[in-house]
Amino acid sequence: MDENFAFLLPVVLSLFGVAFLVVARYGNRAALFWGGGYLCAALGFLAPLLLAVLPVAVVALAADALFVCAFLLYSHALICHFNAPRMFALRAAVAMLGYAGMAVAVLGVDSLRYELFLSDITCGLLLVVAMVAVRLRLRAPVEKALFAAAIFVVLETVVRTLVFFYMAGSPAIDAFVGSSYAYVMQITSTVGALLLALTALASVALRVLDGHRRDAEEDPLTGLLNRRGFEQFIGEGGRSAKNDAAIIVADIDWFKSINDHFGHAAGDEAIREVARLLRAVSWPGLAVARFGGEEFIAYLPNCRLPDAHMLANTVRIALGERDLSGIGIDRPITASFGVAVTAAGDHTIHEAISRADRLLYLAKSSGRNRVVSNAADGGQPAAGPRLFVVRDEMSG
């Protein structure tokens, strides 16, 4: 049975290591370090196989080095996963000092007791340093589960080590293979490795999926939602107009001439500038999307028409006052806005979007650089030209 455990643990660790490396191919750096750590640990547990051809001291030091490397990689994986301060100098110092102590225990006094104590305490400290660095960055439940698994691994390592240190006396290094401690270590390490690997793999996989979701739902130029992301955000609000909401549709004026006169790079910067202004609008539940080209849409839940009109005009004025010489544009740029709100007869919010879009084109045909919104109560289409119109002098 001892032999089965001795074979099973490296296999389990290797499988997790490979799984992490596969996930790392999708762009997650933390998975790369998790994978390297688990493969190092697997090799560490396989090191006793070298006793047939290498001296005991060499095998012991090789195993210790692999375990220290494994926990150094685990700690770095945690830090990368949570984008925490690296604290690399501290972790490297712990690893080097701990390994130096192990070398003394193996080569100097031939003490398994001190070697295992220093090895396990060093590995535990490496994980503790990373846990201290990430402790304030836990958000999702799976991230808290990962932190709890790391706590379990540290406690298991420390408690087991202390019990062995105070009860085992001073056996020689070659007494480790086949010892009761080695058997217990394989069992408890398997439990800790499984908990840490499963929670880390789940957290990393969710990060990868979330990254792909953001790529699918965000505009790469501005960081705003794209059309798909906008539809996803409004969710039920896109299928039902029960909740009052305002829609602001914006379009940069004379955008083709900006590209023609100042270049496409400057045009991209102009788009980013409008995106920054719209994103800065202060309204609870705001969602802003780039619908393509130079057109933007903002969704403001529980917002009345006068408030939405005022916010759109604030953005319009701020844009006209921007000094864009730093991005290669030597004249002000302007935008036109259409503003509408949901109405009692709307079946979906897309009807309000269509009204706002029509009002945007009215703003364009009326001279640009203005905000046009329907003044009818509740956003109903007005019987006549009852419109709020705000404009400045045209700038082109």
Side-chain angles (χ1 to χ4, degrees), residues 65-389:
L66 287 166
F67 286 127
V68 170
C69 285
F71 275 81
L72 192 59
L73 288 168
Y74 294 157
S75 68
H76 199 70
L78 267 178
I79 285 172
C80 283
H81 186 71
F82 292 99
N83 195 27
R86 296 292 187 260
M87 304 177 74
F88 185 77
L90 176 59
R91 291 185 293 122
V94 170
M96 289 188 290
L97 289 174
Y99 189 72
M102 297 171 223
V104 172
V106 172
L107 300 175
V109 296
D110 188 27
S111 173
L112 176 64
R113 181 187 186 195
Y114 283 103
E115 181 213 358
L116 293 178
F117 176 81
L118 290 169
S119 175
D120 288 347
I121 292 300
T122 298
C123 292
L125 282 176
L126 288 172
L127 210 51
V128 167
V129 172
M131 291 164 62
V132 170
V134 308
R135 71 191 187 285
L136 301 179
R137 298 169 182 259
L138 310 177
R139 297 292 182 270
V142 69
E143 294 174 350
K144 295 176 182 178
L146 172 58
F147 193 80
I151 292 175
F152 174 85
V153 170
V154 171
L155 290 178
E156 180 272 326
T157 301
V158 171
V159 171
R160 169 174 43 79
T161 302
L162 290 176
V163 170
F164 176 78
F165 185 80
Y166 285 107
M167 294 181 63
S170 299
I173 299 295
D174 57 5
F176 176 74
V177 178
S179 67
S180 297
Y181 179 82
Y183 180 63
V184 171
M185 179 182 179
Q186 289 162 7
I187 296 176
T188 57
S189 296
T190 299
V191 175
L194 285 172
L195 286 176
L196 191 62
L198 289 173
T199 53
L201 192 58
S203 189
V204 165
L206 287 175
R207 286 283 181 92
V208 171
L209 291 174
D210 189 55
H212 285 292
R213 180 193 60 78
R214 284 198 305 272
D215 290 342
E217 297 178 0
E218 287 187 4
D219 172 53
L221 179 63
T222 63
L224 299 178
L225 296 172
N226 57 21
R227 187 183 293 268
R228 175 180 176 179
F230 181 79
E231 296 284 354
Q232 186 70 27
F233 180 89
I234 60 176
E236 290 297 327
R239 297 185 286 275
S240 170
K242 293 179 180 178
N243 296 324
D244 294 336
I247 295 293
I248 299 173
V249 179
D251 190 272
I252 300 175
D253 296 330
W254 311 109
F255 185 70
K256 184 177 185 302
S257 69
I258 294 173
N259 278 334
D260 291 343
H261 285 88
F262 304 107
H264 288 280
D268 288 346
E269 287 300 325
I271 288 173
R272 291 192 187 98
E273 190 65 33
V274 175
R276 281 190 285 267
L277 289 171
L278 287 170
R279 189 188 285 116
V281 169
S282 179
W283 193 266
L286 170 75
V288 183
R290 180 187 177 204
F291 262 36
E294 66 275 21
E295 185 175 350
F296 302 85
I297 185 168
Y299 168 77
L300 299 89
N302 303 310
C303 183
R304 297 180 301 116
L305 184 65
D307 294 328
H309 186 102
M310 179 190 67
L311 291 169
N313 195 49
T314 300
V315 173
R316 182 192 64 81
I317 293 171
L319 179 62
E321 293 176 347
R322 275 289 201 270
D323 179 8
L324 302 177
S325 58
I327 61 175
I329 300 176
D330 61 5
R331 63 175 174 84
I333 62 172
T334 63
S336 300
F337 299 78
V339 182
V341 293
T342 54
D346 289 348
H347 295 291
T348 74
I349 200 169
H350 293 286
E351 296 178 46
I353 294 174
S354 296
R355 288 196 295 273
D357 205 45
R358 289 195 296 271
L359 293 168
L360 168 66
Y361 281 101
L362 181 56
K364 290 283 191 182
S365 63
S366 300
R368 294 180 170 81
N369 189 25
R370 62 192 66 206
V371 179
V372 177
S373 58
N374 197 315
D377 290 339
Q380 296 282 3
R386 299 173 59 202
L387 302 171
F388 293 138
V389 180

